[in-house]
Each structure stands twice: as C-alpha cells, then as structure tokens.
Amino acid sequence: MAKMEVKTSLLDDMIGVGDMVLLEPLTEDSFINNLKKRFDHSEVYTYIGSVVISINPYRSLPIYTPEKVEEYRNRNFYELSPHIFALSDEAYRSLRDQDKDQCILITGESGAGKTEASKLVMSYVAAVCGKGAEVNQVKEQLLQSNPVLEAFGNAKTVRNDNSSRFGKYMDIEFDFKGDPLGGVISNYLLEKSRVVKQPRGERNFHIFYQILSGASEDFLCKLKLERDFSRYNYLGLDSAKVNGVDDAANFRTVRNAMQIVGFMDHETQSVFEVVAAVLKLGNIEFKPESRVNGLDESKIKDKNELKEICELTGIDQSVLERAFSFRTVEAKQEKVSTTLNVAQAYYARDALAKNLYSRLFSWLVTRINESIKAQTKVRKKVMGVLDIYGFEIFEDNSFEQFIINYCNEKLQQIFIELTLKEEQEEYIREGIEWTHIEYFNNAIICDLIENNQTGILAMLDEECLRPGTVTDDTFLEKLNQVCATHQHFESRMSKCSRFLNDTSLPHSCFRIQHYAGKVMYQVEGFVDKNNDLLYRDLSQAMWKASHTLIKALFPEGNPAKINLKRPPTAGSQFKASVATLMKNLQTKNPNYIRCIKPNDKKAAHIFNDALVCHQIRYLGLLENVRVRRAGYAFRQAYDPCLERYKMLCKQTWPHWRGPARAGVEVLFNELEIPEEEFSFGRSKIFIRNPRTLFKLEDLRKQRLEDLATLIEKIYRGWKCRTRFLLMKKSQIVIASWYRRYAQQKKYQNIKSSAIIVQSYIRGWKARKLLRELKHQKRCNEAATIIAAYWHGTQVRREYRKFFRANAGRKIYEFTLQRLMQKYFLEMKNKMPSLSPVDKNWPARPYLFLDSTHKELKRIFHLWRCKTYRDQFTDQQKLIYEEKLEASELFKDKKALYPASVGQPFQGAYLEISKNPKYKKLKDAVDEKIIIAEVVNKINRANGKATSRIFLLTKNNVLLADQKSGNIKSEVPLGDVTKVSMSSQNDGFFAVHLKEGSGAAGKGDFLLSSDHLIEMATKLYRTTLSQTKQKLNIEISDEFLVQFRQDKVCVKFIQGSQKNGNIPTCKRKNNRLLEVAVP
C-alpha cells in the first residue's frame, strides 16, 4: 500500500472477499476460490468474522516489519486488511482496556504454520506493550523459551521441517498497565514414540542432531558421543540433513536461549547428559540365551555402551544390566522375579528411552515455568496462546491420532459454544432479537469417546486393567459390543449389519465419524500405548543414579515410597489434561487462528485445491461461516458506517450535523433498502444479507466516481482560472519589461548615433589639421634641401680643385676600410664554438681576404686550444701528454691503438699498497711504482703463458710471482734496448735487453697484456726521462727474441681460434714461435 493511501475499512481495495461472512454465494468451491485468489496476490490472511484464516506462504513476506506493527497498533479490527496483527492487537487491547482475560486458539495440521503464528502473536504483544529493563527481561525470557521447547519438542516430518510434536498452551500474565509479568507453559502429549522410531523420511527430535553437529569436540567427549549420525540406532539416516537447516547454529541458539531463560551451567550440562544417555540407549543390543529350566533370557551383546551410559548417569552397571534382563512383580507381600526374553528386553530398553526423554521434556517445561513465572502476588490479567495439533487423518491412524482428534473435537465443541455465545451476547447487548441457529453439535461424538461408562477411552482403560489375556483384538470386541448401535461408530465386526460387507473397513479397524469427516483407526498398539508401562526395576535403577536430574525424574523408584497401585493410563491422563484445558479456555474470551497448509511440497506459490478443501472440512470453516451468517452477516458501528456511505444521500453529504444513528436511518430510508434486510442496534447497524452490503459498496463506488468527476471538473476550472490569472499577470510583467527594454534600446541607438557623428566630426577636424601640418612640414623640408644643395654647390665649387687630385685613392681606401669593417663585424657574429675539435669556420666573403681569413682561422684555433689547455690540472696534463705520446708512437701503426684512446691510463691496476696480499712485494720495492699490472709471460719451450706481476718504477722493470709476491726478475731501465710488438690487434710484446747485462742471462722477455699501449708508452717515457735516450719501439709482424743462447723468431698470423677472440702462442720448432691472432 502506498504511503499516501489511507485505509478506513477492509472493504477498500479488497482482493476477493476479505471476510468470508460476506462471500456470496457461500459454497465450498467459492470458499476455496476466494482463498486461492487472495493467496495468489500474497494475501495470506482472511477473516470469518473475528476468526483469522492463515495460509502458510512457505516464503518470507514483508508484512511483519516494525512499520506494520505500528500500522495495526490501536486500530479497529475491520479497519485494515486482514492480518494476524489485527487479531493480536484486538486481544491485547481487550485485555488491557476492558480487563478481559484472553485466549488465542491456533489450530491446523502439521506444516500449516501454527508455531510461526504463535511466535508472531507473542512478538506483536512484546512489541506493543510497555518498555523498561524489567519488562524487557520478561519479554526476552518469554520469547527465548520458544527455541528451547522447539529443540526438544519439534522434529522434521514429511509434512513440515519444524513440526511441533507436542501441544503447548502458554498463559502470559500482565499487570494492570498491560506490561508482561511472566508466564506459565503447559504441555500436552509429547510424541515420545518418535524417540525410538521415526517413519521413513522423518527425523528424531531436533536436539539430537543439534548436539552432534554443533557441540565442540571436548563437549562431545564429555558426553561420550561421536559426531557421526550413523553411529546411533535411534537416528534415521535417510533424512539426517535437512535443506536450509543449520543444526550447528541452532545448537548455539538453544544454549544461548537456555542461558537467557535462566538455566544454570550445571543444569544445562545435566540436560545434555540425559539426552546423550537416551541416544546411547538405542545402541544397546541383546542376544538370546537358554537357561537350564528351558526358559529364554536375554544378555547384552556389547557392554561398552552400557558402561558409558552408567558413567554418564552415575548408575551401577550391574544394577542396570539386571534391570534389562529381569522383571520383578510384587503382589501384596510377595515378589516374583522373571527373566526377559530378547523382545521384552528391547521393549524395556525403548520404554526406558521414551520415559527418560518424556520426563526430561516435562522437567524442562517446569524449569522454564520457574524462571518465567510472575514474581508478584498482585492480581494479574492473562492472555493464553494455544498451539496444538490439528485434526489428523493419515493412511494409518493409531492411538496418537485418536487422542489428538479427540482433543480437536473438544476444541470444536468449545469453539461452536463460544461463537454462539458471543453472537448471542452481542445481539442482547445491541437489543436485537435473538433467533435460534441450527448447527451440528458434536457433543455426541465427544460423549462416544469420553463417557465414563461407555466411552471408548473408558473401555480401553477397563481392558488394560482387566486380569487375564488382554490384546488389541479383545479391546475391539468390547467396542463392538458396547458401541455397535452408536450412529458415529463403525466396525466390520459390530452387530450392525450395514458394515458386514464394507470391504473398505478392515476387520482390525474401527471408524469414527468425526465432525471433520470419517477416520479409520488401526486398533493395533492401542493397549500398549495406553498402558505406557515402565518396569519397576528400571524405575528403581534410575532412582539409584548419582545423577541429580535423573534421580529427580523417577521419584516412584524410591523403595521407601513403593506404590503397588497401577499408574494412570495415557488416555486417562490426556482426558484429564483436556478437561482442565477446556475449563481454562471457558473462563477467557476466545480468539481463533485457523492455519491451512496450501500444498504438501512445502513450496511457495502452489495452491492445492484438494488439500485445502480437506482442511476446510475438518476445521469446520464453512460451518463457522454459516453460524456467523445465521443471523446478520455484517455489523458496523454507526459512526464509521455513516462516514463510509454518507455520500449516497444528499441530506448526509457532505456533513451530517445530528447523531450518527439518525444519519444512518436517513441514509437507509433514502436508499429504499427493505426493512427486513437490516436492524438498528444500540451502537451498530446490522445487515442481514451480504448482497445488501455489496449493493451499498457498488453505489458507493459509483458515487465516488461521480464525486471524482465533479472534483476533477472543479479542479480543472480552478486550474484554468488560476492559469489564466497567472498568464494575465505574466503578460503585464512581460509588457512592462518589454517597454522598458524598447526604450533602453532606443536610447542606446540614439546615443550610439551621436557618438558616431561626433567621432566623424572629430576625425574630419583631425585630418584637416594633419594635412595642414604635413604641408607645413614639406615646405620646411623643401627649404632645407634647397639650402643644403645650394651650400653644397658653393663648397664643391670652392674645393673642387683639392678633391680632383686624390679622389680615386681616397675612394679606394674608404671602400676597402668599409669592407674590412663589415667583414670583422660579420665574423664576430659567426664565430664557431670553443671546442678544439670543432672544425667549422665561416666561409670567406671576398677573395682578396683569403690569406687574412686563413690566418685568422689558425690564430683562433691556437687561442681556443690554449684556452682549453689552461683548464687542465697537472695530473690531467700528464695524462694527455701520455696520450699524445701514445698517438705519436702507435697511431696508424698498431691495430690495438684505437681501442685504447678512450681508456684512461691508470697505471696502478693492482693497488699494491692497499692489498695485504702484496705486502711483501711492497716492502721489497722502495721506489714509486709507475705501473703495476698482471701480465702473461710466454714460455719459450712450449709457448704457454704464466701469470706475472709487471712493475715499472723510475729506474727498474720488475717481474714478480703473482701468488707469492716474490720478485723473479729485476732489470734496470738502462739495460732495456728495445720493445717489439706486432701491428695486429693483440697484446703480445717483447722487452729486449742489452747483451752482456746481468739481467740478460735468461734472455729477453716475451709478454702479453691487456694494457699494451699504456705499458709501452709509460716504459718509453720513463726510459727517456731517466736515460735521456729514446727507447726503440719496433712494430712488425715478425721479430727475433733472444732466449738464453738461442734466437727465436716470433711470427704473427691471422687465424680462427678455439678460444674465441683470445690470441694463442704455439711453438712450431726450436727457431719459431707462432702467434695466431683472430
């Protein structure tokens, strides 16, 4: 609904019919079609008077938000669209304002949404009641009791993933202000048989799966459990996992809820220990053994599970083992002990598991009640919420379905009685004559079941207590005798001849015609389930447990309190509980929510007509509508009725000044509605037939259209007049602005014209003055020129004789001077850069300046070279002198030279003074080392190389061992006569020594170095400096080297090498060394 839309009645924008009382015609098909139409439009709620029909949408709808809560708060029940919040608000306001105790009865079959409906009711009440720390704590405890009870009392079934397997009635207590004080929960008939056996496709109670999925490994170890579901016989494996359900997260929610509700840590631990014990009971298995007397007895196969159960519960293992194998029967002062066979042992085991879990659930409810009960003694207002099983019709119906359907019969009975009572009270209150309403009274069916003498439950109890052989067949025979003539009881074996040939009714079944239809019950199991026996030995064994909680669950096991009286049967207990519930409900004002399941697939947007029809029948909804419509179908207070329909009469429209009732009377008389179709109550108008109401709605709709047309017409007229006045006003404003603009434009044009005329006049005057001034100037210039020419003529005439003798020479000198001046000025602007390598020079302008031009170029180059040299340091000058020396020695002679030009001469490559390895060598050499480099000394025997350190000082050439640093040879510079090398790209060179010198004993040195150019240059310069003689540098591809007494020819050849670009030396014969250069 849009934000601006305001609804004042459920009849506004109604999809289908919002209240089934107004459905016309009223048939089963029209009823279903109306529900389907509303369901398809996401309208899941429909009224039958004050009863709410709720259809489970199986999806989340945006109709439960806090905004929706505020929308329905303190609103009339019929003011807005049907909603569960409307019923909750009506019940809460009646309790708070009128001091009437309320009860909300929620019924429907499994999967119809009863539990969710009860949660919505409680959440709405919690939202609209008061606030405060204590109030919020009470509300939180009431709301958090639901997760705990759901975990222990709900299970996954084929119809519902969260099906309540117990009936719950909660009384919420309020103070006089309407704030919650506490609550009391009652539970009915927990389906404890599910603990030991589940139908195919269903699960056990949620708590078993939640513990195994969500508990920590340490916690499971304490409970002696394993996480694998398949380890436990009581857990069905085919549906252990449910889509969309997170058991681990739910377990955390349950533990948190138990803490909020008020469970102590040791209590929570005890509860989970009992659950673990129940789970492990299913793993105990028995084997048969024969005794000497021929009787069969049972023994436990694997005692490990029994041992762990005893450790959890604190029971002596031998005591529990004996309780599973023997049964003690006491009669007066005698005790008889009998053995149990395997079937009886399994029965005892399952009975113990069912009783243990059932009593634990009852203890949980009691413990929650202790936490949430009201603490004050003041008088309290009560709102009860009943969430109980709906009518059940399965293929196989047993004892559980029988007593569930009995409970629904009682609820239907009280529903009819209270509905009729409410109708009658309203008629009397409004002064309307009450007419008798025909309806089906199901009291006869309730009597068939609960009569103390001839009722089915009485017969069942009598059969269970009767001595002798008691079976389900004997119970059926007794029913056939006592109930044969009852019109709602059918059996194949009864004395009534009309069922003898009814093949649809098996011999072991009986059929009851309930208000919702016929239900056939399988008599098998009725006696055992009604007895619900737990052997006294097992009760006493449980009482002997050291586990506090288990001991408290079995008070009858106390030997000091042995009661030989048979405990009440399950049927009689449930009958008493239902009687108490009915008595409680009759003291309260009832509110009904009928829940319907649209399909069996638990899927959204699917509406199964047949399934819905079946639920409509057994819920008795058509009967409910007929009871509601038996008198007057619709009623409404005078004020809202007049407000809604006053536009249908000229006298009441638009305002009625008198009482509302008088206005409604005038309205109905004006519309000529027959008097039998309505009645006037004290505060309400009663309309008998829905057709009359729909006629009023149709008239109202037509009138609204007429009024809308009238309003539209008036609005259009107002809009046109407003637009005209606005246009008129706008036209005046526009005209005034235009006139202003036109006058401004005219003024601007006049002003512009005046300025142009003025400028033209000023220009004409200025040009006239300019012409006069120019004429005067030309006259002055002409006079000056004439005077100059005249003076020139006079001077030339006077000095002509002087100029004629030297005129040619002077003109030549002057011209030459001017050309020289121009040449130098141009050279100034065209000078090249100061770089000595820049060879650019301006072109020669005149031929006669050729020698001058070349001399200037030479002088300029010398000058910039000197300027460039002046920038050098002493070290740089030395380097360049060495480089210049190298150029003179090797340029265009040695192929290795160009590569050395760009390499600086470093000299000390080994850094002998810094390297501790050469400390011995440094100490042996006192002079300054000019060059220190590793060279390869060539062996004359085989041409192989040996690494040596080559040192050049001011006076000597030294060769030292590279590894040890020992000096191998020392040659004075005066003994070096010549250095030979090839012209190719190699580093070989020979140092020739003076014959007869001390160093020449072993002959000349043939060496190889990567810095040949630098070494040869420095050796040349040092020798020149010391000896004042130039060292002979021989560059040839073939030269002789003296080795001791022999002279060997060193020959350089071109060739490809295996070692890449490295030259190699090879001894060819005694007189030839061949160096292959790549």
Side-chain angles (χ1 to χ4, degrees):
M1 186 173 64
K3 289 184 178 180
M4 298 304 294
E5 182 181 355
V6 179
K7 293 192 69 170
T8 59
S9 171
L10 64 84
L11 298 173
D12 290 335
D13 301 325
M14 187 167 57
I15 297 172
V17 178
D19 191 344
M20 288 295 187
V21 176
L22 305 178
L23 187 63
E24 189 69 24
L26 178 61
T27 63
E28 192 173 79
D29 290 340
S30 63
F31 194 99
I32 295 172
N33 289 334
N34 187 57
L35 287 179
K36 184 176 182 180
K37 183 177 181 181
R38 292 179 62 77
F39 178 79
D40 291 341
H41 288 81
S42 299
E43 294 285 345
V44 295
Y45 296 110
T46 308
Y47 291 154
I48 301 178
S50 59
V51 178
V52 175
I53 301 174
S54 172
I55 303 180
N56 191 345
Y58 286 118
R59 60 191 174 102
S60 297
L61 295 176
I63 58 174
Y64 307 108
T65 59
E67 292 76 15
K68 277 288 180 183
V69 171
E70 290 301 319
E71 183 179 342
Y72 280 86
R73 188 173 185 174
N74 295 326
R75 300 290 286 269
N76 184 276
F77 186 76
Y78 297 103
E79 189 172 344
L80 299 173
S81 301
H83 202 291
I84 194 171
F85 286 168
L87 180 137
S88 305
D89 187 74
E90 184 75 13
Y92 177 71
R93 286 192 292 115
S94 298
L95 175 136
R96 183 191 62 191
D97 301 336
Q98 302 176 19
D99 204 19
K100 291 182 181 179
D101 288 349
Q102 303 290 318
C103 66
I104 298 175
L105 282 69
I106 306 172
T107 56
E109 72 172 48
S110 178
K114 302 185 297 299
T115 302
E116 288 300 318
S118 66
K119 291 180 185 177
L120 289 171
V121 171
M122 293 176 65
S123 64
Y124 180 84
V125 173
V128 300
C129 63
K131 303 289 187 292
E134 294 183 3
V135 173
N136 289 337
Q137 182 181 359
V138 171
K139 289 193 292 186
E140 188 66 17
Q141 287 185 334
L142 290 173
L143 294 175
Q144 290 299 324
S145 65
N146 281 323
V148 180
L149 295 179
E150 283 185 14
F152 287 87
N154 288 23
K156 189 262 182 190
T157 67
V158 292
R159 297 187 174 186
N160 186 4
D161 290 342
N162 188 33
S163 175
S164 298
R165 308 317 300 161
F166 71 103
K168 182 179 73 173
Y169 177 74
M170 174 183 279
D171 270 333
I172 307 174
E173 299 173 334
F174 298 84
D175 61 10
F176 70 97
K177 297 179 294 184
D179 295 339
L181 298 172
V184 179
I185 300 173
S186 303
N187 66 298
Y188 300 95
L189 192 65
L190 177 72
E191 188 189 12
K192 58 185 178 182
S193 62
R194 181 172 291 272
V195 174
V196 299
K197 185 179 180 182
Q198 305 92 39
R200 180 174 295 277
E202 298 190 3
R203 294 206 311 178
N204 211 323
F205 292 101
H206 292 328
I207 190 62
F208 296 115
Y209 304 93
Q210 291 175 358
I211 288 180
L212 297 182
S213 299
S216 64
E217 294 294 340
D218 292 341
F219 192 67
L220 286 178
C221 186
K222 290 180 182 178
L223 299 181
K224 303 185 184 303
L225 295 176
E226 298 178 21
R227 206 173 292 280
D228 185 7
F229 295 160
S230 62
R231 289 277 294 110
Y232 304 100
N233 297 331
Y234 280 165
L235 300 183
L237 298 180
D238 55 340
S239 299
K241 294 290 185 180
V242 181
N243 292 333
V245 176
D246 188 347
D247 289 317
N250 290 339
F251 178 71
R252 293 190 290 271
T253 302
V254 170
R255 295 202 68 169
N256 182 56
M258 293 177 75
Q259 185 177 3
I260 293 174
V261 170
F263 282 82
M264 307 299 290
D265 290 341
H266 69 87
E267 291 177 326
T268 304
Q269 180 69 22
S270 298
V271 168
F272 291 132
E273 287 173 351
V274 174
V275 173
V278 171
L279 200 55
K280 297 185 74 64
L281 274 173
N283 290 351
I284 295 179
E285 296 181 346
F286 302 93
K287 60 183 179 180
E289 282 192 7
S290 297
R291 303 183 70 181
V292 179
N293 57 8
L295 297 176
D296 290 337
E297 65 173 320
S298 62
K299 292 292 183 181
I300 297 175
K301 287 183 182 180
D302 183 6
K303 295 184 180 181
N304 185 50
E305 294 284 355
L306 181 67
K307 178 183 177 183
E308 292 183 347
I309 292 174
C310 293
E311 291 175 356
L312 276 173
T313 57
I315 303 174
D316 187 276
Q317 184 174 342
S318 60
V319 172
L320 186 57
E321 183 177 1
R322 175 176 175 78
F324 281 132
S325 302
F326 294 90
R327 177 186 179 190
T328 302
V329 180
E330 297 185 21
K332 296 183 179 179
Q333 300 301 321
E334 297 182 1
K335 290 185 179 181
V336 179
S337 181
T338 60
T339 60
L340 300 178
N341 58 30
V342 172
Q344 291 171 332
Y346 276 116
Y347 173 83
R349 180 200 70 178
D350 292 345
L352 176 60
K354 290 188 290 184
N355 273 273
L356 193 57
Y357 191 83
S358 175
R359 297 184 187 204
L360 172 65
F361 187 77
S362 299
W363 180 87
L364 280 172
V365 173
T366 304
R367 179 65 183 82
I368 292 173
N369 285 337
E370 290 177 3
S371 297
I372 66 175
K373 67 180 179 181
Q375 303 298 323
T376 59
K377 301 292 185 180
V378 298
R379 181 180 176 276
K380 298 176 280 289
K381 304 175 183 180
V382 178
M383 176 185 290
V385 180
L386 178 64
D387 174 9
I388 203 164
Y389 350 79
F391 201 87
E392 292 189 351
I393 305 176
F394 300 148
E395 291 184 6
D396 296 323
N397 301 288
S398 188
F399 178 74
E400 291 86 0
Q401 283 69 46
F402 175 74
I403 57 178
I404 286 173
N405 293 343
Y406 160 61
C407 179
N408 278 274
E409 287 285 358
K410 295 294 290 182
L411 289 174
Q412 177 68 9
Q413 185 181 23
I414 194 173
F415 169 69
I416 295 295
E417 290 176 359
L418 293 177
T419 301
L420 290 174
K421 180 181 178 182
E422 183 183 1
E423 284 283 297
Q424 187 174 5
E425 287 179 352
E426 184 172 21
Y427 279 37
I428 293 172
R429 187 168 58 249
E430 293 294 330
I432 303 297
E433 183 180 354
W434 170 258
T435 57
H436 178 71
I437 298 175
E438 293 294 336
Y439 66 97
F440 170 69
N441 190 345
N442 67 336
I444 187 171
I445 304 175
C446 295
D447 185 69
L448 169 65
I449 298 173
E450 67 181 4
N451 188 283
N452 292 330
Q453 302 298 325
T454 60
I456 294 176
L457 287 176
M459 295 298 102
L460 183 57
D461 287 348
E462 184 179 329
E463 194 67 13
C464 291
L465 298 173
R466 180 175 63 81
T469 303
V470 177
T471 63
D472 296 321
D473 293 334
T474 60
F475 165 61
L476 182 59
E477 289 176 6
K478 190 158 194 171
L479 288 183
N480 290 333
Q481 294 173 5
V482 177
C483 305
T485 58
H486 199 287
Q487 58 180 332
H488 291 277
F489 179 84
E490 300 175 6
S491 174
R492 188 81 174 271
M493 304 299 292
S494 67
K495 296 177 182 180
C496 185
S497 59
R498 61 194 175 102
F499 301 115
L500 293 177
N501 298 321
D502 188 354
T503 56
S504 65
L505 184 60
H507 291 84
S508 61
C509 299
F510 66 91
R511 189 159 54 204
I512 295 178
Q513 187 175 349
H514 290 280
Y515 78 94
K518 293 182 179 182
V519 182
M520 182 174 65
Y521 298 99
Q522 296 278 353
V523 76
E524 181 182 356
F526 262 64
V527 174
D528 285 342
K529 292 176 180 177
N530 189 51
N531 272 326
D532 194 22
L533 288 179
L534 178 67
Y535 296 151
R536 184 176 286 113
D537 300 76
L538 289 171
S539 297
Q540 292 175 351
M542 292 296 106
W543 188 84
K544 291 178 183 178
S546 60
H547 196 282
T548 309
L549 177 57
I550 292 181
K551 190 179 184 73
L553 295 179
F554 293 88
E556 75 276 12
N558 188 352
K561 298 181 180 179
I562 293 179
N563 186 3
L564 298 180
K565 184 178 179 181
R566 188 181 181 92
T569 62
S572 60
Q573 292 181 51
F574 188 72
K575 177 182 173 182
S577 299
V578 170
T580 304
L581 176 63
M582 297 302 116
K583 185 176 179 180
N584 191 357
L585 295 179
Q586 285 178 337
T587 62
K588 296 178 174 61
N589 184 50
N591 302 271
Y592 300 95
I593 300 174
R594 302 298 204 191
C595 297
I596 291 178
K597 180 169 66 173
N599 60 79
D600 280 326
K601 298 179 180 179
K602 295 179 278 190
H605 307 293
I606 299 178
F607 190 92
N608 189 321
D609 292 15
L611 179 63
V612 174
C613 178
H614 168 71
Q615 295 173 83
I616 288 172
R617 288 174 182 171
Y618 78 64
L619 287 173
L621 298 183
L622 280 173
E623 188 77 13
N624 187 3
V625 177
R626 291 190 182 101
V627 169
R628 182 80 180 186
R629 287 178 56 163
Y632 293 92
F634 182 78
R635 65 229 45 200
Q636 192 175 24
Y638 289 121
D639 285 329
C641 180
L642 180 62
E643 184 67 25
R644 185 168 185 82
Y645 301 112
K646 64 182 181 180
M647 72 285 297
L648 301 180
C649 177
K650 293 182 180 180
Q651 300 178 44
T652 57
W653 177 258
H655 300 292
W656 173 256
R657 302 298 181 185
R661 173 171 178 169
V664 174
E665 290 177 355
V666 170
L667 175 65
F668 275 58
N669 291 332
E670 178 73 19
L671 296 175
E672 298 180 355
I673 297 175
E675 294 183 358
E676 62 273 12
E677 288 296 321
F678 64 90
S679 292
F680 292 105
R682 290 188 176 91
S683 63
K684 296 180 181 179
I685 175 73
F686 287 75
I687 298 175
R688 186 178 301 277
N689 198 307
R691 285 194 298 270
T692 303
L693 179 64
F694 292 140
K695 179 182 176 183
L696 288 172
E697 284 297 311
D698 291 341
L699 292 173
R700 178 178 180 272
K701 184 177 180 181
Q702 182 60 43
R703 181 57 178 159
L704 286 177
E705 292 179 357
D706 296 340
L707 289 174
T709 303
L710 178 62
I711 292 171
E712 186 179 10
K713 181 182 71 174
I714 294 173
Y715 171 74
R716 284 176 177 170
W718 170 82
K719 187 176 181 181
C720 289
R721 285 193 300 275
T722 304
R723 187 168 182 272
F724 167 75
L725 293 175
L726 182 61
M727 289 177 66
K728 182 179 179 181
K729 182 179 179 181
S730 301
Q731 188 272 334
I732 294 173
V733 172
I734 292 171
S736 63
W737 278 90
Y738 177 76
R739 286 194 294 271
R740 175 186 174 186
Y741 167 77
Q743 291 298 323
Q744 287 178 341
K745 192 72 174 175
K746 184 178 179 181
Y747 167 75
Q748 292 293 340
N749 290 336
I750 295 173
K751 182 178 179 182
S752 176
S753 302
I755 292 173
I756 291 172
V757 171
Q758 288 177 350
S759 65
Y760 272 100
I761 292 173
R762 290 193 187 100
W764 174 77
K765 288 182 176 181
R767 286 191 296 275
K768 182 179 179 182
L769 178 60
L770 178 62
R771 284 195 299 271
E772 293 175 353
L773 292 174
K774 283 182 176 182
H775 178 71
Q776 184 178 354
K777 181 180 179 182
R778 283 197 297 270
C779 291
N780 292 336
E781 289 177 351
T784 303
I785 291 171
I786 293 170
Y789 272 95
W790 168 250
H791 290 301
T793 302
Q794 294 296 324
V795 171
R796 284 192 295 273
R797 187 178 297 168
E798 183 67 25
Y799 292 96
R800 185 173 296 165
K801 55 186 175 182
F802 300 105
F803 285 110
R804 283 178 181 175
N806 299 314
R809 186 176 58 83
K810 290 190 175 187
I811 292 172
Y812 171 77
E813 290 176 356
F814 175 80
T815 302
L816 189 64
Q817 184 181 2
R818 289 295 300 165
L819 288 176
M820 291 293 290
Q821 184 181 9
K822 181 180 179 183
Y823 167 72
F824 283 114
L825 289 174
E826 288 179 354
M827 284 295 292
K828 178 184 177 182
N829 296 328
K830 294 180 181 181
M831 293 297 288
S833 66
L834 297 179
S835 174
V837 296
D838 188 359
K839 297 183 179 181
N840 293 326
W841 187 251
R844 180 194 61 198
Y846 306 106
L847 183 60
F848 73 93
L849 294 176
D850 183 54
S851 58
T852 305
H853 191 70
K854 290 179 180 179
E855 185 63 20
L856 279 176
K857 178 179 179 181
R858 187 184 67 81
I859 294 171
F860 177 78
H861 180 67
L862 292 175
W863 172 79
R864 67 182 177 183
C865 286
K866 180 180 183 304
T867 305
Y868 185 77
R869 288 195 305 274
D870 291 343
Q871 298 174 3
F872 293 164
T873 62
D874 293 340
Q875 186 177 359
Q876 287 176 328
K877 287 181 180 179
L878 180 61
I879 291 173
Y880 279 102
E881 286 175 359
E882 289 179 346
K883 284 288 185 179
L884 183 60
E885 195 77 55
S887 175
E888 293 175 353
L889 292 174
F890 301 111
K891 185 177 181 182
D892 298 329
K893 298 176 184 179
K894 178 69 173 173
L896 189 65
Y897 170 74
S900 69
V901 174
Q903 298 177 357
F905 291 170
Q906 297 181 10
Y909 288 97
L910 295 182
E911 297 182 347
I912 291 177
S913 60
K914 297 181 180 179
N915 195 335
K917 178 180 177 181
Y918 304 119
K919 184 175 185 301
K920 183 178 179 181
L921 182 62
K922 177 178 178 294
D923 295 338
V925 179
D926 297 332
E927 299 175 292
K928 179 182 177 182
I929 296 173
I930 298 173
I931 187 167
E933 165 68 337
V934 175
V935 299
N936 292 322
K937 181 176 178 294
I938 308 301
N939 190 330
R940 70 183 181 86
N942 51 19
K944 293 186 178 180
T946 303
S947 295
R948 290 286 186 266
I949 297 176
F950 181 90
L951 297 178
L952 174 64
T953 65
K954 289 184 178 180
N955 296 309
N956 299 294
V957 173
L958 297 95
L959 288 178
D961 185 81
Q962 185 183 6
K963 294 181 180 179
S964 63
N966 295 329
I967 298 175
K968 295 293 185 179
S969 300
E970 182 174 358
V971 180
L973 290 178
D975 292 344
V976 178
T977 60
K978 183 174 63 172
V979 175
S980 298
M981 62 185 72
S982 73
S983 62
Q984 299 185 35
N985 192 17
D986 63 276
F988 286 86
F989 68 100
V991 179
H992 299 277
L993 305 180
K994 183 186 296 184
E995 292 182 7
S997 62
K1002 293 182 181 181
D1004 301 335
F1005 298 121
L1006 181 58
L1007 307 173
S1008 173
S1009 173
D1010 292 337
H1011 302 92
L1012 170 61
I1013 303 298
E1014 180 181 359
M1015 294 177 67
T1017 303
K1018 286 183 180 288
L1019 183 59
Y1020 177 84
R1021 286 175 60 83
T1022 307
T1023 303
L1024 179 63
S1025 175
Q1026 295 298 320
T1027 64
K1028 307 301 180 180
Q1029 294 179 0
K1030 293 184 179 180
L1031 181 64
N1032 184 18
I1033 303 294
E1034 180 184 356
I1035 299 176
S1036 174
D1037 289 341
E1038 188 174 331
F1039 53 81
L1040 294 176
V1041 179
Q1042 180 77 33
F1043 284 143
R1044 293 188 184 273
Q1045 302 301 323
D1046 300 327
K1047 288 190 178 183
V1048 178
C1049 178
V1050 180
K1051 185 178 182 181
F1052 293 84
I1053 62 172
Q1054 294 286 336
S1056 59
Q1057 300 298 320
K1058 296 180 181 179
N1059 296 330
N1061 294 326
I1062 302 175
T1064 58
C1065 183
K1066 187 174 182 183
R1067 181 72 176 262
K1068 289 295 184 177
N1069 50 53
N1070 291 336
R1071 300 294 180 179
L1072 178 63
L1073 270 176
E1074 193 175 85
V1075 179
V1077 181

